[in-house]
């Protein structure tokens, strides 16, 4: 499955990187809200994201590569669940010169999920870490013109870290690109 994923990402990147591409670098951060059964044992967390976007000026389609770090406090307190991910995303935004543009974003990625185990005294037993495939989809607003712009977005993320425990959450991000 990994070679197929790598080939898919390479093909999407080749399509999104034409000779006249505009490339932006950005950072974002915000709240990550657990949903579904994940909400039963995790509280609202936070995330920090670094990103590179590319798009061809007349095309409404673009590509975004991201690296994120997310942390959730556990509902019982005392420990946390952490996630580091790298995603490849396609986004669609309307053409034109509007100061605020809506966009839709969808992507796949590799998510390394570090889940806590049982704590007995100062020892942690059965702490696990696994890397799994995840998907995301959402919408956002690209605000401003020129080189420095802001964005506000919300996405739904679903990761299966193994053993049938699906992690779903909604990261709400505010960031800047330049």
């Amino acid at each position: 499955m990994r070679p197929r994923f790598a080939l898919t990402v390479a093909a999407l990147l080749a399509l999104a990187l034409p000779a006249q591409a505009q490339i932006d670098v950005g950072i974002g951060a915000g709240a990550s809200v657990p949903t579904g059964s994940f909400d039963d044992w995790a509280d609202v967390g936070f995330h920090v994201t670094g990103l590179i976007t590319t798009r061809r000026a007349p095309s409404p389609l673009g590509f975004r590569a991201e690296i994120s770090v997310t942390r959730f406090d556990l509902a019982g307190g005392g420990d946390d669940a952490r996630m580091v991910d790298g995603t490849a995303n396609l986004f669609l935004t309307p053409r034109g010169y509007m100061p605020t543009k809506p966009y839709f974003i969808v992507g796949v990625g590799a998510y390394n999920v570090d889940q806590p185990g049982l704590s007995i005294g100062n020892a942690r037993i059965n702490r696990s870490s696994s890397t799994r495939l995840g998907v995301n989809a959402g919408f956002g607003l690209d605000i401003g013109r020129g080189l420095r712009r802001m964005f506000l977005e919300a996405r739904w993320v679903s990761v299966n870290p193994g053993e049938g425990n699906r992690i779903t959450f909604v990261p709400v991000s505010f960031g800047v690109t330049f």
Side-chain angles (χ1 to χ4, degrees):
M1 182 149 151
R2 289 183 186 176
R4 186 178 301 158
F5 174 71
L7 288 174
T8 302
V9 170
L12 292 173
L13 185 58
L15 289 172
L17 284 174
Q20 300 169 346
Q22 172 186 346
I23 297 175
D24 298 318
V25 176
I27 56 171
S32 294
V33 182
T35 61
S37 61
F38 186 49
D39 185 36
D40 294 339
W41 58 278
D43 293 328
V44 174
F46 66 91
H47 64 275
V48 178
T49 302
L51 55 101
I52 297 175
T53 62
T54 181
R55 70 185 114 199
R56 195 168 151 203
S59 175
L61 188 63
F63 175 78
R64 181 190 290 178
E66 299 175 330
I67 296 177
S68 299
V69 176
T70 307
R71 181 181 176 273
F72 295 97
D73 287 327
L74 297 183
D79 214 341
D80 60 4
R82 293 178 293 263
M83 196 176 311
V84 177
D85 63 83
T87 60
N89 306 283
L90 289 176
F91 65 91
L92 181 67
T93 187
R95 288 189 265 179
Y97 294 101
M98 299 180 284
T100 301
K101 288 185 184 182
Y103 62 88
F104 296 97
I105 188 164
V106 61
V108 297
Y111 293 78
N112 181 269
V113 181
D114 185 20
Q115 297 176 340
L118 177 64
S119 293
I120 300 174
N122 291 333
R124 290 186 184 156
I125 301 171
N126 296 330
R127 186 166 188 105
S128 66
S129 178
S130 62
T131 301
R132 302 290 182 188
L133 185 65
V135 295
N136 71 77
F139 59 91
L141 293 173
D142 187 10
I143 306 163
R145 292 185 185 173
L147 295 177
R148 290 196 181 130
R149 293 183 314 280
M150 296 180 289
F151 65 89
L152 177 64
E153 71 180 30
R155 287 195 240 180
W156 175 77
V157 176
S158 178
V159 181
N160 186 0
E163 302 165 10
N165 300 323
R166 185 165 300 280
I167 294 176
T168 59
F169 61 99
V170 175
V172 179
S173 304
F174 177 77
V176 295
T177 59
F178 39 91

